[in-house]
């Protein structure tokens, strides 16, 4: 299976007066047709920056300093701004975190849908409106005719996120980047939006890069998951295996922090310390100061990703054994 | 909506009553108009007779009551200087001031907003830097100095434009307009630039900062993520969001343009209300001064009301009609 999206050794840095701060360091991943790849990590782990880089929306001082991004086999990270603009929305859709602020408050839902459709496809105003209606129906908005002429403030948060999803799907992109699509919503609405994303990926064959800090969302939604720590991928592989048998000590710690019903522990396990700031990433494995299974070489050499049981993990615990 | 307008009207009436009282009370201390009218050599008997004739010998509250009762009917009495009704004087002078103010406001908005948008979209271009420097000059130079400098360059040295007056005017009904003659239009240029320059720089700087703010908003990022071309992102989404606060300020500035026309009208000898007011102050022409103050207050009250209503037109979130959030 050829990958729909392939990211190769991506590095994104923020140029500052005191030198570059590397926010994304040597990230490689692939997403296949119709696949949902979860990307999980703490705030500042580089999840959103990766998503923004794929969309070509990085703004100075941030820029791609190394690596390649390929969509359907051709590079998109070096496209001219206008070519990249045409590609956005058309071949890569985006869903943003906060539906309350992602929609322009001064334009109706219909106006925003129609302008997006007309931007990407040469159809008449009538046809665009019809497609907007169909899209609203598809993302589960009741009485779409009525909603079309309403303003964002007249809709609830969940409804607005559905509108944002409809906007991302206007031109039927093959890939959607969903950056924390459920974080700003209450729990019951979260479940609905997750169901919607799964259904759309299944029925339309749309691939989704699902960025979230919520391992629970990933476990319910994603096919595969990439665990990010301090701008690097700690572990990437099928979600079921990573949830049930994490290999990287950081992933193990993350799983311990998910509350489980019926568990006997009265306190959740937590990882001591905090993720390092971008200007103070420790040498070697970035996780070693917090790691409970630290080895001698951990603070000297950055572990490379190695294949273990159908997944990849960047940790000396597993690197030695598989290479040895 | 109706309740909103009604509430605003009641507030407006209260404001007007207060301004009327202040105006009336303050001008009692400006000076004794009787002295001005009869000269230094009048006898006390002549002065007493004049005071009685003008109603100035009555107690304060009686005078104020009369003032308000007549003012609401548009009657502000006779000008003490010209012995003609104040309302007639105003009717003659009002068109000149309004035409000047509107031309100045138009100049301020039509130049200020595009300049503000440009400096926000291209913050690093040399033209933006030039605009910002010009705006700094516009903000810091006093109006009369700008007027005098403009006269020096365009009227005295280049001889392109007249340095004073309105040029030829045409009567349209009771309205004297200078907009229909070449000399009238030429005479309008320098005073309206002088009057509007400060507001123009203000609007430009406000537009710029609001636009920079809006361009960082989530919905603008999302509009880009939807693949919308810059043209739509900038001029449809960003500009419209920028205009909400700019409209308020621009609208409120219209009031101060009319009020501050006094200086410009004096510099250019523009036959408007401001010039009339200055001449009245020198003569302690109390009825004219009181009426002028009330008129300016009324103008501000009306403009505030209109600006609030404009908000409704631009920002759908404020429309509290039946289709409220649910």
């Amino acid at each position: 299976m050829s990958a729909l999206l392939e990211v190769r050794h991506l590095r994104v840095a923020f140029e500052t007066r005191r030198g570059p701060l590397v926010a994304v360091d040597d990230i490689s991943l692939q997403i296949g047709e119709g696949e949902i790849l979860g990307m999980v990590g703490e705030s500042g782990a580089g999840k959103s920056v990766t998503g923004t880089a794929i969309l070509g929306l990085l703004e100075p001082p941030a820029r791609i300093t190394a690596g390649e991004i390929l969509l359907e086999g051709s590079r998109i990270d070096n496209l001219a701004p206008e070519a990249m603009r045409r590609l956005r929305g058309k071949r890569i859709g985006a869903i943003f975190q906060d539906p309350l602020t992602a929609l322009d408050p001064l334009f109706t839902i219909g106006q925003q849908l129609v302008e997006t459709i007309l931007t990407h496809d040469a159809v008449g105003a009538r046809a665009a409106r019809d497609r907007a209606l169909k899209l609203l129906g598809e993302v589960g908005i009741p009485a779409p005719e009525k909603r079309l002429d309403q303003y964002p403030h007249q809709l609830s948060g969940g409804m607005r996120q559905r509108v944002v999803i409809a906007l991302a799907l206007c031109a039927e992109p093959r890939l959607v980047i969903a950056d924390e699509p459920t974080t700003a919503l209450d729990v019951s609405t979260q479940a609905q939006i997750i169901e919607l994303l799964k259904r759309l990926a299944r029925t339309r064959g749309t691939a989704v890069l699902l960025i979230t800090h919520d391992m629970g969302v990933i476990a319910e939604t994603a096919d595969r998951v990439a665990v990010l720590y301090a701008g690097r991928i700690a572990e990437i592989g099928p979600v079921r295996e990573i949830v049930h048998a994490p290999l990287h000590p950081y992933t193990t710690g993350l799983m311990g922090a998910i509350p489980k019903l019926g568990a006997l522990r009265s306190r959740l396990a937590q990882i001591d310390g905090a993720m390092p700031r971008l200007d103070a990433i420790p040498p070697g494995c970035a996780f070693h100061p917090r790691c409970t299974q630290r080895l001698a070489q951990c603070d000297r050499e950055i572990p490379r990703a190695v294949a273990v049981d159908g997944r990849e993990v960047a940790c000396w615990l597993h690197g030695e054994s598989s290479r040895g | 909506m109706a309740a909103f307008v009604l509430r605003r009207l009641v507030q407006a009436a209260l404001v007007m009553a207060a301004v009327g009282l202040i105006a009336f009370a303050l001008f009692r201390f400006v000076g004794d108009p009787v002295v001005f009218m009869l000269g230094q050599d009048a006898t006390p008997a002549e002065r007493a007779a004049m005071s009685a004739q003008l109603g100035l010998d009555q107690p304060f509250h009686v005078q104020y009551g009369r003032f308000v009762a007549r003012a609401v009917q548009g009657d502000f009495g006779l000008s003490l200087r010209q012995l003609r009704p104040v309302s007639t004087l105003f009717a003659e002078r009002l068109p000149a001031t309004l035409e000047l103010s509107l031309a100045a406001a138009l100049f301020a908005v039509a130049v200020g907003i595009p300049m503000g948008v440009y400096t926000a979209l291209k913050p690093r271009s040399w033209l933006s830097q030039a605009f910002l420097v010009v705006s700094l000059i516009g903000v810091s130079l006093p109006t009369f100095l700008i007027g005098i400098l403009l006269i020096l360059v365009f009227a005295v040295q280049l001889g392109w434009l007249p340095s004073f007056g309105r040029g030829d005017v045409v009567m349209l009904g009771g309205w004297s307009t200078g907009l229909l003659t070449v000399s009238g239009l030429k005479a309008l240029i320098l005073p309206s630039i002088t009057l509007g320059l400060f507001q123009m720089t203000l609007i430009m700087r406000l537009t710029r900062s609001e636009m920079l703010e809006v361009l960082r908003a989530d919905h603008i990022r999302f509009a880009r993520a939807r693949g919308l071309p810059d043209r739509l992102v900038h001029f449809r989404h960003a500009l419209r969001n920028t205009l909400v606060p700019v409209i308020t300020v621009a609208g409120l500035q219209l009031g101060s343009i009319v009020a501050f026309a006094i200086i410009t009208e004096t510099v250019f000898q523009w036959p408007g209300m401001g010039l009339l007011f200055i001449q009245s102050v020198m003569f302690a022409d109390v009825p004219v001064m009181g009426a002028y103050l009330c008129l300016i207050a009324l103008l501000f009250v009306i403009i505030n009301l209109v600006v609030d209503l404009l908000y409704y037109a631009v920002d759908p979130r404020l429309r509290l009609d039946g289709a409220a959030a649910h």
Side-chain angles (χ1 to χ4, degrees):
Chain A
M1 182 186 71
S2 75
L4 176 70
L5 177 83
E6 188 172 358
V7 175
R8 290 182 187 156
H9 305 291
L10 180 71
R11 184 188 298 257
V12 178
F14 290 82
E15 304 290 347
T16 69
R17 240 174 278 168
R18 280 177 296 169
L21 294 179
V22 180
V24 169
D25 192 0
D26 199 24
I27 280 188
S28 298
L29 52 84
Q30 295 188 349
I31 305 179
E33 296 273 344
E35 182 183 44
I36 300 182
L37 174 69
M39 194 184 264
V40 70
E42 293 167 62
S43 307
K47 314 181 296 282
S48 290
V49 175
T50 307
T52 312
I54 294 169
L55 281 166
L57 282 176
L58 287 178
E59 279 176 24
R63 64 183 190 92
I64 297 176
T65 53
E68 295 178 349
I69 301 168
L70 292 90
L71 184 68
E72 291 169 333
S74 54
R75 274 184 76 173
I76 60 168
D77 56 297
N78 54 1
L79 287 178
E82 178 60 17
M84 193 63 213
R85 198 272 299 162
R86 285 176 199 283
L87 189 143
R88 270 198 299 274
K90 177 80 180 163
R91 292 170 65 199
I92 308 179
I95 300 167
F96 278 13
Q97 172 172 0
D98 190 350
L100 303 187
T101 56
L103 300 170
D104 188 328
L106 303 185
F107 290 86
T108 63
I109 307 304
Q111 285 170 332
Q112 300 190 45
L113 281 163
V114 166
E115 71 177 358
T116 313
I117 293 167
L118 291 181
T119 295
H120 295 296
D121 290 302
V123 294
R126 187 73 245 167
R129 197 180 156 91
D130 288 344
R131 197 197 291 179
L133 269 179
K134 229 181 93 210
L135 275 165
L136 286 185
E138 201 174 334
V139 297
I141 289 185
E145 301 85 0
K146 189 175 135 224
R147 296 297 180 185
L148 215 49
D149 294 319
Q150 286 189 328
Y151 289 91
H153 72 275
Q154 293 170 306
L155 274 60
S156 68
M159 282 296 155
R160 278 189 244 187
Q161 193 60 300
R162 286 171 195 268
V163 172
V164 168
I165 293 173
L167 278 166
L169 296 177
C170 271
E172 305 188 347
R174 306 297 306 143
L175 171 69
V176 168
I177 301 200
D179 191 351
E180 305 265 8
T182 58
T183 305
L185 304 171
D186 64 63
V187 180
S188 59
T189 317
Q190 273 186 17
Q192 293 171 10
I193 296 294
I194 288 169
E195 271 315 303
L196 175 64
L197 278 176
K198 279 165 77 172
R199 179 164 60 79
L200 291 172
R202 204 168 51 236
T203 56
R204 288 175 158 252
T206 311
V208 180
L209 175 62
L210 177 65
I211 297 168
T212 177
H213 63 267
D214 186 340
M215 200 61 207
V217 169
I218 297 277
E220 278 178 63
T221 322
D223 301 310
R224 290 192 306 135
V225 59
V227 179
L228 262 63
Y229 185 82
R232 297 173 197 155
I233 291 184
E235 188 166 5
I236 181 169
V239 75
R240 181 173 296 271
E241 292 167 34
I242 289 189
V243 168
H244 291 293
L247 291 178
H248 197 285
Y250 177 63
T251 321
T252 314
L254 267 190
M255 298 306 143
I258 303 177
K260 288 188 191 66
L261 279 179
L264 291 176
R265 275 181 305 197
S266 59
R267 285 176 65 94
L268 290 172
Q270 60 177 36
I271 310 172
D272 289 329
M275 198 172 69
R277 287 160 31 134
L278 287 184
D279 59 356
I281 292 179
C285 172
F287 186 62
H288 82 259
R290 300 169 75 187
C291 187
T292 50
Q293 304 169 58
R294 169 162 78 232
L295 303 174
Q297 68 268 48
C298 284
D299 59 357
R300 292 194 302 269
E301 275 183 87
I302 299 177
R304 279 185 306 163
V306 291
V308 182
D309 307 335
R311 47 182 143 159
E312 284 180 31
V313 57
C315 177
W316 288 117
L317 287 172
H318 305 282
E320 287 306 303
S321 59
S322 62
R323 257 179 255 161
Chain B
M1 181 73 187
F4 168 80
V5 174
L6 196 70
R7 204 162 58 234
R8 278 305 158 94
L9 285 177
V10 171
Q11 286 173 358
L14 289 175
V15 169
M16 288 311 297
V19 169
L21 185 64
I22 293 167
F24 188 76
L26 275 182
F27 288 135
R28 285 173 62 84
F29 304 107
V30 168
D32 187 353
V34 175
V35 176
F36 286 86
M37 294 175 76
L38 296 178
Q40 296 281 328
D41 304 330
T43 62
E46 281 173 332
R47 288 185 188 170
M50 192 62 164
S51 281
Q53 190 194 333
L54 294 172
L56 296 178
D57 56 344
Q58 301 284 328
F60 176 83
H61 62 274
V62 175
Q63 288 191 42
Y64 179 64
R66 277 192 198 158
F67 171 76
V68 170
R70 290 205 305 250
V72 293
Q73 301 167 41
D75 177 7
F76 285 91
L78 291 181
S79 157
L80 300 179
R81 184 165 66 102
Q82 307 195 24
L83 295 175
R84 295 168 60 206
V86 174
S87 49
T88 314
L89 286 176
F90 276 18
E92 287 170 10
R93 299 297 194 108
L94 195 63
T97 296
L98 284 187
E99 281 182 5
L100 174 62
S101 303
L102 286 178
L106 202 68
F107 163 73
V109 168
V111 178
I113 290 181
M115 276 168 78
V117 169
Y118 183 85
T119 51
L121 291 180
K122 298 211 185 319
R124 282 186 200 142
S125 90
W126 65 269
L127 196 57
S128 296
Q129 304 293 332
F131 283 168
L132 289 176
V133 170
V134 169
S135 82
L136 205 62
I137 296 171
V139 169
S140 34
L141 278 189
T143 308
F144 71 89
L145 191 60
I146 291 168
I148 290 170
L149 288 176
L150 285 177
I151 288 175
L152 184 68
V153 174
F154 291 98
V156 177
Q157 290 185 344
L158 297 172
W160 291 351
L161 298 166
S163 62
F164 68 91
R166 273 187 96 187
D168 299 324
V169 294
V170 177
M171 291 301 288
L172 284 179
W175 184 279
S176 69
T177 178
L179 300 178
L180 297 176
T181 63
V182 175
S183 73
L185 287 174
K186 278 173 81 174
L188 189 59
I189 295 175
L190 290 186
S192 53
I193 290 178
T194 306
L195 184 54
L197 192 66
F198 179 78
Q199 322 294 339
M200 188 273 276
T201 54
L202 198 75
I203 288 174
M204 176 197 140
R205 287 182 163 263
L206 182 73
T207 306
R208 174 174 176 272
S209 61
E210 288 293 334
M211 186 102 174
L212 286 173
E213 186 83 29
V214 170
L215 284 174
R216 280 195 296 268
D218 264 6
H219 65 83
I220 294 298
R221 272 190 71 222
F222 187 57
R224 290 191 202 285
R226 283 190 273 147
L228 297 188
D230 280 355
R231 180 174 46 82
L232 283 184
V233 174
H234 292 159
F235 297 109
R236 199 170 137 98
H237 292 285
L239 185 58
R240 184 131 174 220
N241 277 281
T242 301
L243 284 185
V244 175
V246 172
I247 285 175
T248 330
V249 173
L252 295 179
Q253 289 301 319
L254 186 63
S256 37
I257 285 181
V258 176
F260 288 116
I262 293 176
I263 296 166
T264 307
E265 288 185 2
T266 309
V267 171
F268 287 92
Q269 289 299 296
W270 188 265
M273 312 250 303
L275 198 58
L276 178 70
F277 177 74
I278 290 288
Q279 290 161 350
S280 305
V281 169
M282 293 174 184
F283 197 78
D285 195 342
V286 177
V288 174
M289 289 192 285
Y292 181 79
L293 201 73
C294 293
L295 200 75
I296 294 296
L298 183 67
L299 196 74
F300 268 90
V301 164
I302 291 174
I303 286 170
N304 269 302
L305 192 64
V306 170
V307 166
D308 281 342
L309 294 179
L310 262 182
Y311 258 4
Y312 272 64
V314 174
D315 193 339
R317 283 168 295 188
L318 294 174
R319 287 178 213 146
L320 299 169
D321 47 42
H326 50 101

